[in-house]
């Protein structure tokens, strides 16, 4: 775990900073965001992705056994996935717009599902463990930046 300390410190700080920037982006365009079907949910998903990265990073910084980390990660991931997929209900109300639905899944899945894989991997003691946490953190940050771009720039086009 000690080898991962710096990654978790950097990830927690970066994700928290990005969350602040997303709040600014949303506040700048709040009226436009509220006028589009599904965009408020996309803003929520962006915040949840970044919050998930912060929580996962903090869990990785806590001195504890691998099994305890795995259980905490599993609980946090289930809560994160519930929030992400519950907020994605607007994506299923698009009247058959598969591209829109696919774009939402491409942003959300890489920033959430790898945490679940990491938790299971840590519990069974093989399969990548902490590396999957890193994949999830990167997926969350990339997905959040993509969503932030949409919330800040694309809605103005």
């Amino acid at each position: 775990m000690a080898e991962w300390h710096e990654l978790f410190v950097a990830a927690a700080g970066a994700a928290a900073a990005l969350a602040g920037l997303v709040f600014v982006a949303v506040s700048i365009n709040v009226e436009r965001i509220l006028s589009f079907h599904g965009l408020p949910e996309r803003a929520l998903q962006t915040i949840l992705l970044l919050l998930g990265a912060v929580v996962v990073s903090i869990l990785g910084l806590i001195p504890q056994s691998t099994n305890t980390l795995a259980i905490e990660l599993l609980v946090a991931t289930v809560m994160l996935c519930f929030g992400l997929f519950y907020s994605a209900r607007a994506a299923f109300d698009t009247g058959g717009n598969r591209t829109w639905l696919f774009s939402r899944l491409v942003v959300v899945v890489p920033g959430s599902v790898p945490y679940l894989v990491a938790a299971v991997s840590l519990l069974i003691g093989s399969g990548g463990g902490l590396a999957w946490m890193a994949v999830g953190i990167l997926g969350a940050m990339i997905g959040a930046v993509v969503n932030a771009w949409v919330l800040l720039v694309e809605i103005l086009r």
Side-chain angles (χ1 to χ4, degrees), residues 83-84 117 119 121:
L84 287 170
V117 176
S121 175

Side-chain angles (χ1 to χ4, degrees), residues 34-78:
L34 291 173
S35 70
F36 285 95
H37 176 71
L39 276 187
E41 292 83 2
R42 189 174 205 145
L44 175 60
Q45 287 176 338
T46 305
I47 296 297
L48 288 174
L49 284 171
L50 293 169
L51 178 62
V54 170
V55 168
V56 165
S57 297
I58 291 171
L59 291 176
L61 290 170
I62 299 170
Q64 59 189 331
S65 73
T66 303
N67 282 341
T68 303
L69 172 61
I71 291 167
E72 290 171 352
L73 186 58
L74 187 61
V75 170
T77 302
V78 167

Side-chain angles (χ1 to χ4, degrees), residues 5-16:
H5 181 269
E6 297 303 316
L7 170 75
F8 292 139
V9 169

Side-chain angles (χ1 to χ4, degrees), residues 19-33:
L21 292 174
V22 170
F23 273 108
V24 170
V26 170
S27 67
I28 288 171
N29 289 321
V30 70
E31 289 181 29
R32 287 216 32 120
I33 289 169

